[in-house]
Amino acid sequence: MNMKSRNSALTGSIQNNRGRFHFTFKGWPWGRLFLLLLFTSCHTKRLPAVHSTLSVQRELNLLKPLLHSGDLILRNGTDATSQATRKFNRKDTSFSHCGIIAVEGDTVWVYHAIGGSYNPSQALKKEPLDSFSKPGETDRIAVYRYRLATEEQQRLMNIVREHYKSRLPFDLFFNYDTNDRMYCSEFVFKSVNKSMNGRLSTVIRRQTAPVYISIDDLFLNDWALPVKNISYIRLQ
């Protein structure tokens, strides 16, 4: 079976199990990440938890009243894929995944783009904060808040919910140039930037081609203010 790439991030072919795999990557660094995820998706051995689940839950319960819809939430996974993903951050390698908070009634939800075995449907996922931040699968989280006016915050949540309603697919090829599917940090960046009428674009203007959004791009900028950082290891 021959397969051409759907975008410029990857070209090549995939043959059956009697043939060989061959890829040529045109993009950096997400083409390499695609290959990494391809080979680690079935090997997600997690590190042993060294913290108290009850202590983490207590911290999450204290965090929830501080949260606003539109907040950026970051987490670090304990599996092999997460460890590798962190290396693609530019400066701060503390986190491997991200999402957008939504406070709906008495429940705090997280909207996030994730694929592979983590999310068989590949569609934009919505799950409770407690699940997104689950001890054993995660060893730290952090929340940042963008400088948004009230109408911008409302616009952001409308954008996020529209993506969820349309079942925005995860972009396995990590191509920033397409909008019909997105990877995790791309989903957050493009949603927030659109709500801010492009003011967050300074993050990508200083990049050379090919453009990509790393997870630390989302909080190492003048628009993001820290709310809370929770290290589970410190809660022993």
Side-chain angles (χ1 to χ4, degrees), residues 21-34:
F21 291 85
H22 175 73
F23 294 98
T24 300
F25 293 102
K26 294 182 177 180
W28 166 261
W30 293 110
R32 296 172 94 184
L33 181 56
F34 166 79

Side-chain angles (χ1 to χ4, degrees), residues 13 22 40 57 59 63 71 138 209 228:
S13 63
H22 175 73
T40 60
Q57 189 59 58
E59 287 296 312
L63 173 65
D71 286 348
T138 303
K228 187 75 173 180

Side-chain angles (χ1 to χ4, degrees), residues 82-229:
S82 298
Q83 293 176 44
T85 301
R86 290 202 311 270
K87 297 178 181 179
F88 290 90
N89 291 339
R90 301 179 198 279
K91 296 179 179 179
D92 189 325
T93 59
S94 301
F95 303 101
S96 61
H97 190 53
C98 57
I100 295 178
I101 291 287
V103 181
E104 300 175 0
D106 58 357
T107 303
V108 178
W109 298 91
V110 179
Y111 290 88
H112 59 116
I114 190 167
S117 59
Y118 305 101
N119 181 25
S121 75
Q122 308 299 299
L124 187 68
K125 191 170 184 178
K126 175 185 179 182
E127 67 177 314
L129 172 66
D130 293 349
S131 175
F132 180 87
S133 310
K134 187 177 180 181
E137 298 178 3
T138 303
D139 62 15
R140 73 178 71 93
I141 65 168
V143 176
Y144 283 77
R145 182 166 298 146
Y146 290 102
R147 302 174 188 267
L148 301 176
T150 300
E151 61 272 17
E152 291 174 332
Q153 180 192 34
Q154 294 172 347
R155 188 183 309 138
L156 171 59
M157 297 317 301
N158 288 339
I159 293 168
V160 168
R161 291 179 178 120
E162 185 58 35
H163 280 316
Y164 181 71
K165 182 179 179 181
S166 65
R167 297 180 57 80
L168 176 72
F170 179 77
D171 189 355
L172 183 61
F173 294 94
F174 298 89
N175 186 352
Y176 179 82
D177 295 329
T178 59
N179 294 317
D180 60 335
R181 55 187 64 227
M182 300 182 192
Y183 53 90
C184 67
S185 50
E186 179 189 10
F187 157 68
V188 172
F189 175 81
K190 287 184 174 179
S191 297
V192 174
N193 194 39
K194 186 175 181 180
S195 75
M196 297 173 66
N197 294 316
R199 296 200 307 280
L200 201 59
S201 294
T202 53
V203 171
I204 59 174
R205 285 175 186 155
R206 56 177 178 257
Q207 293 187 29
T208 57
V211 171
Y212 75 98
I213 295 297
S214 65
I215 291 171
D216 59 333
D217 282 335
L218 300 174
F219 63 92
L220 295 181
N221 62 72
D222 294 336
W223 296 101
L225 302 173
V227 176
K228 187 75 173 180
N229 193 315

